Amino acid sequence: RQYPRALGSVGLIRVNGEIVSPDYAVKQHDKLSHKVHRHEPSTRGAVVIVGDTADAVAVSKPASMPMHACGSYRFNSLIHVVSKELGLRDLHVVHRLDKLTSGLAVLAKNATRAAELAVEIKTHETRKTYLARLKGRFPSPALHNLPTLPEPSTAPPPPPPKRLRGASGPPGAAEADMAREPVGHPVGGGGG
C-alpha cells in the first residue's frame, strides 16, 4: 500500500495524465499510467553499413545485439540503431540472426521489398550461409575431410565501410553493391 502512495506523491503514477493525491479514489474510465525507469542492457561492437540501395540496406550485425526489440532490449536493437543513424522510419527485417550471432543482415526499406527478399530466401534464389572460424584441429580423423574455406584473398581490401556506433575515427564513405555475388573478402566488423 505504501509503494503506490510513494510513487504517486512523486508523480510516477498519474491518473488521466495528472498527479493526484494519495487519497484519490480511482473512478471508472480513469486512465492510470506508471512511469518506470529501466536500464537497457548494452551491446558490444559497431554496426557497419556494408551496402545501401534505394530499397534495402545491408549491415554487419555484431554478436550481442538483437535484430529487433525484444525482452529487455528496445533501443539497443539492430532495427532501432540503423533506423536512427540513417534517419529511416520503416525498416523491415528480411531474415533473422540470433542475438549472439554476428554476420550480414539485410533490412528492407519498405514492406514490398521485404516480402520479395523473403521469398528469394525461401525459394533459395538467395542463400544464407553460416560460417564458423575455428582455431586448432578436430580430434577425430573423420572430421579432417570436411570442406574448408580458401585462404583469404591477396586482393587489396575494400574501402572502409561507414561505421554507425562504437566506431573510432572518422566515418568513411561506404559504396557497396548489394548484388548476390561474393566479393572476395570477408564481411564483418572484426575485433570483438
Side-chain angles (χ1 to χ4, degrees):
R1 251 175 90 128
Q2 289 187 6
Y3 179 72
R5 285 180 179 270
L7 291 176
S9 65
V10 294
L12 294 179
I13 293 181
R14 295 178 180 232
V15 178
N16 302 319
E18 302 291 327
I19 298 174
V20 296
S21 78
D23 299 323
Y24 179 84
V26 178
K27 300 178 188 90
Q28 189 173 4
H29 303 293
D30 274 350
K31 180 181 174 186
L32 298 173
S33 59
H34 179 202
K35 186 174 183 178
V36 177
H37 178 79
R38 290 193 175 115
H39 289 274
E40 186 167 327
S42 62
T43 59
R44 295 179 48 150
V47 175
V48 180
I49 299 291
V50 177
D52 191 356
T53 68
D55 57 1
V57 60
V59 298
S60 178
K61 182 189 98 55
S64 83
M65 179 180 284
M67 294 288 292
H68 50 77
C70 62
S72 299
Y73 293 88
R74 180 171 174 206
F75 299 106
N76 288 336
S77 66
L78 187 70
I79 284 283
H80 184 82
V81 169
V82 174
S83 294
K84 184 172 179 159
E85 293 293 331
L86 296 182
L88 301 171
R89 299 196 65 183
D90 195 28
L91 282 179
H92 301 266
V93 173
V94 172
H95 64 92
R96 275 185 11 83
L97 290 176
D98 288 341
K99 177 182 156 196
L100 297 178
T101 303
S102 64
L104 186 70
V106 177
L107 306 172
K109 294 180 180 179
N110 59 67
T112 301
R113 187 62 179 144
E116 292 168 355
L117 290 169
V119 167
E120 287 181 16
I121 290 171
K122 186 176 183 177
T123 61
H124 303 288
E125 184 180 340
T126 299
R127 294 181 316 150
K128 290 189 339 182
T129 303
Y130 290 88
L131 303 175
R133 290 199 159 184
L134 305 173
K135 187 174 185 177
R137 292 183 104 16
F138 283 106
S140 168
L143 297 176
H144 288 216
N145 295 326
L146 291 175
T148 59
L149 294 174
E151 289 298 316
S153 171
T154 57
K162 179 180 177 185
R163 293 186 174 274
L164 293 183
R165 66 190 284 270
S168 59
E175 289 295 326
D177 183 18
M178 287 175 35
R180 290 182 287 278
E181 300 174 306
V183 291
H185 59 274
V187 176

